[in-house]
């Protein structure tokens, strides 16, 4: 491949990623049209769907469940063997009162854990499709991390990821005077076809 062809290929990928209209060009004697949809269909590299390092507003004064983040996971983006990775960072009142952090996907709670004396919490969740876009494995559900060992069993779900599904990071206080803040998050898609 000539140096000019390499530069044209790099430009085509960049153009496809930045706009749905894609990029048309001639490479190797053939007409090429690369669109964002085509690139997504064949791309197997993990990518960041959403991230934010700005803290949410402080949640306090209510015992109701509060949605800190709601985001749509595009249908088909995981594929039958793909996975979803969610990292979140929280600041929570440090006392004996129970505060609950939950991850909901497609309306179902896929991970939930109580927080009592820890004031700063980091969470890592991984959900894998099991060679079926409607069957999932959730590593160490009920835990703040997929790593290490403990009593938390792996979980399972039956959520159809071939269609758009909503991911929600929520929290709930047991004492209205306590506080919760979502400090930041990173949501990654690992396609698997």
């Amino acid at each position: 491949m000539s140096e000019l062809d390499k530069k044209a290929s790099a430009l085509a990928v960049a153009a496809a990623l930045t706009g749905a209209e894609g990029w048309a060009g001639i490479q190797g004697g053939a007409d090429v049209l690369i669109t964002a949809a085509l690139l997504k269909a064949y791309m197997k590299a993990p990518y960041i769907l959403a991230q934010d390092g700005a803290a949410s507003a402080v949640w306090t004064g209510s015992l109701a469940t509060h949605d800190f983040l709601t985001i749509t996971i595009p249908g088909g983006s995981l594929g039958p063997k793909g996975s979803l990775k969610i990292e979140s960072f929280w600041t929570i009142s440090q006392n004996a009162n129970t505060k609950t952090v939950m991850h909901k996907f497609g309306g179902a709670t896929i991970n939930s854990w109580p927080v009592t004396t820890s004031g700063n919490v980091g969470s890592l969740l991984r959900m894998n499709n099991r060679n079926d876009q409607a069957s999932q494995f959730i590593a160490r559900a009920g835990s703040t991390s997929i790593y290490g060992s403990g009593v938390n069993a792996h979980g399972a779900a039956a959520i159809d990821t071939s269609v758009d599904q909503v991911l929600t990071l929520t929290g709930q206080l047991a004492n209205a005077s306590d506080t919760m803040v979502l400090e930041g998050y990173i949501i990654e898609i690992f396609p698997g076809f």
Side-chain angles (χ1 to χ4, degrees):
M1 179 181 273
S2 74
E3 199 59 33
L4 182 59
D5 285 342
K6 287 179 187 176
K7 288 179 183 176
S9 294
L11 286 172
V13 170
L17 287 172
T18 58
E21 69 279 354
W23 178 84
I26 298 175
Q27 178 182 0
D31 289 337
V32 177
L33 177 62
I34 299 175
T35 64
L38 178 66
L39 188 61
K40 179 181 170 187
Y42 291 99
M43 185 172 75
K44 291 188 179 185
Y47 61 95
I48 296 172
L49 178 69
Q51 69 176 353
D52 194 343
S56 69
V58 174
W59 176 247
T60 191
S62 174
L63 303 182
T65 301
H66 178 68
D67 296 344
F68 286 91
L69 172 69
T70 300
I71 187 166
T72 299
I73 306 300
S77 61
L78 299 178
K81 298 178 183 179
S83 62
L84 177 65
K85 180 179 169 186
I86 306 159
E87 290 181 69
S88 57
F89 312 96
W90 304 80
T91 298
I92 300 172
S93 294
Q94 191 167 351
N95 58 39
N97 300 329
T98 299
K99 286 75 61 181
T100 306
V101 176
M102 294 169 274
H103 294 80
K104 296 180 181 181
F105 186 65
T109 300
I110 59 170
N111 196 13
S112 174
W113 70 92
V115 178
T116 53
T117 57
S118 300
N120 301 306
V121 178
S123 166
L124 176 60
L125 174 70
R126 187 119 184 201
M127 183 187 79
N128 301 325
N129 276 349
R130 296 199 125 173
N131 201 26
D132 181 341
Q133 292 191 83
S135 176
Q136 292 82 33
F137 167 83
I138 302 155
R140 296 192 69 219
S143 176
T144 57
S145 178
I146 59 175
Y147 301 110
S149 61
V151 297
N152 297 90
H154 298 305
I159 301 162
D160 185 1
T161 62
S162 69
V163 297
D164 289 359
Q165 294 290 352
V166 174
L167 170 69
T168 310
L169 303 186
T170 69
Q172 187 171 23
L173 304 172
N175 184 316
S177 65
D178 288 338
T179 62
M180 294 180 92
V181 176
L182 175 61
E183 297 287 354
Y185 61 86
I186 301 170
I187 299 167
E188 293 178 88
I189 302 283
F190 292 77
F193 299 96

